[in-house]
Amino acid sequence: MEFHLFGRSSLRFNGNFTLQEWIEITQILADVYLEVDFILMDYPESKASFVDFTQNNIKVFKNNEDLLNLVALIQILDLLLSVNTANVHIADNLRIPTLEIVRQSESRKWACGAYGGWYDYVVLPPNWQEDRKNYQNLFLQKSKEKISKILLSR
């Protein structure tokens, strides 16, 4: 069985984990769920460099800024794990289950789930960096719950 997840690796202001934190979260999940393929999304302007992963179930998709490529990728996902970007709203429209991290200031303005999809989030308050490991662990815990629920339903 092939199962896709998606971690957005964009680097945005103070409302996102660092690229290294996204990679660590992905590696932890990949070690726990060997039957799941994890896809890290990247884009040319990020200038991110990814080393070869020791886990065979982690892949990097480097989009060329073509929205249709992004939509095609999101359509085949079983779950989207992402920071608050257009990816979340595309997944919501496609009714792809989504777990998002979102800044508290954006949580009311950009909340998803209006299109009938399953949506959950971890809200990052203004001072979240003071306890960033706790928020990473919360996101990781919720990710495990969502992945396990989807796998059990198959």
Side-chain angles (χ1 to χ4, degrees):
M1 166 182 26
E2 190 166 313
F3 180 90
H4 299 273
L5 283 95
F6 180 90
R8 175 70 173 159
S9 59
S10 68
L11 304 173
R12 289 182 45 192
F13 312 107
N14 64 351
N16 191 7
F17 301 137
T18 66
L19 176 59
Q20 186 57 41
E21 290 165 340
W22 275 112
I23 289 171
E24 289 169 7
I25 289 168
T26 303
Q27 289 175 315
I28 291 168
L29 292 172
D31 284 340
V32 173
Y33 300 99
L34 299 175
E35 72 277 28
V36 175
D37 285 338
F38 294 84
I39 304 170
L40 288 165
M41 173 75 176
D42 194 21
Y43 55 99
E45 288 78 30
S46 79
K47 307 283 191 269
S49 61
F50 293 90
V51 296
D52 291 334
F53 294 101
T54 57
Q55 299 97 327
N56 292 329
N57 58 338
I58 299 177
K59 313 289 186 234
V60 177
F61 173 79
K62 192 162 202 127
N63 194 9
N64 62 359
E65 299 298 331
D66 186 333
L67 184 62
L68 294 178
N69 288 339
L70 181 61
V71 171
L73 175 64
I74 292 173
Q75 278 182 312
I76 64 170
L77 302 179
D78 293 290
L79 175 64
L80 172 73
L81 304 175
S82 181
V83 66
N84 182 24
T85 64
N87 305 327
V88 172
H89 302 284
I90 292 169
D92 189 36
N93 276 278
L94 295 171
R95 296 184 178 171
I96 303 298
T98 302
L99 176 62
E100 168 189 36
I101 58 170
V102 61
R103 291 186 311 203
Q104 188 173 20
S105 61
E106 297 175 339
S107 63
R108 287 186 177 90
K109 180 172 38 174
W110 297 111
C112 287
Y115 297 97
W118 172 91
Y119 169 78
D120 198 3
Y121 56 90
V122 172
V123 175
L124 301 178
N127 60 346
W128 75 276
Q129 293 92 343
E130 296 169 11
D131 197 14
R132 74 184 303 121
K133 200 65 177 168
N134 181 50
Y135 286 98
Q136 291 168 27
N137 288 334
L138 177 60
F139 187 81
L140 186 59
Q141 175 190 347
K142 282 190 166 208
S143 297
K144 288 178 179 178
E145 290 170 6
K146 305 314 177 194
I147 295 166
S148 294
K149 184 177 179 180
I150 290 172
L151 289 173
L152 285 173
S153 71
R154 294 181 175 239

